[in-house]
Amino acid sequence: MSGPAPERRPGSVYGVGTEPDARFSLANERTALAWLRTGLALVAGGVALTTLATFAVGGPLLDVVAALACLAGGALAVGALVGWRRTERALRLGEPLPAPSALPILVVGVAAIAVVLAGYAVVQALG
């Protein structure tokens, strides 16, 4: 004989509405995990840039870009959790799915890092 089912956490997500189709809930989880992987890649890129900065002439600039990449990766990980919660609640309550909030910020951040690193590469090649 089994006891009562353990309470699912977080209660702010699982304590509302009705259980959605498992396929939608699992797709939401896969999306959150993809955002987490992207955040981890940004952190790993920041660590790699820090290592490169120890050998490069313009080390301080690379250190700043590395720090920004690491911070962006951490923020993206938090954003993944927030997005998962928002979407899961909407699924459970039968509401329209929320618009992605992290995507525009990620696009601008990655584009800015790419421009700075491209400028750095040009300066290093010409200098």
Side-chain angles (χ1 to χ4, degrees):
M1 182 171 167
S2 64
E7 184 178 324
R8 290 172 68 189
R9 294 178 189 242
S12 61
V13 172
Y14 294 116
V16 299
T18 59
E19 192 70 27
D21 185 334
R23 294 173 294 175
F24 300 129
S25 189
L26 291 172
N28 183 35
E29 183 177 345
R30 284 191 303 273
T31 301
L33 291 172
W35 282 111
L36 281 171
R37 284 190 303 272
T38 303
L40 181 60
L42 282 169
V43 171
V47 170
L49 281 174
T50 300
T51 303
L52 178 64
T54 61
F55 302 110
V57 174
L61 173 65
L62 289 179
D63 281 335
V64 168
V65 173
L68 290 175
C70 288
L71 290 172
L76 196 56
V78 171
L81 177 62
V82 170
W84 171 81
R85 289 173 64 107
R86 289 174 55 217
T87 302
E88 192 67 26
R89 282 182 61 87
L91 286 170
R92 296 182 72 80
L93 295 171
E95 297 174 347
L97 297 180
S101 57
L103 184 58
I105 297 167
L106 177 65
V107 169
V108 170
V110 169
I113 289 172
V115 167
V116 169
L117 289 178
Y120 173 78
V122 168
V123 168
Q124 289 299 311
L126 298 176

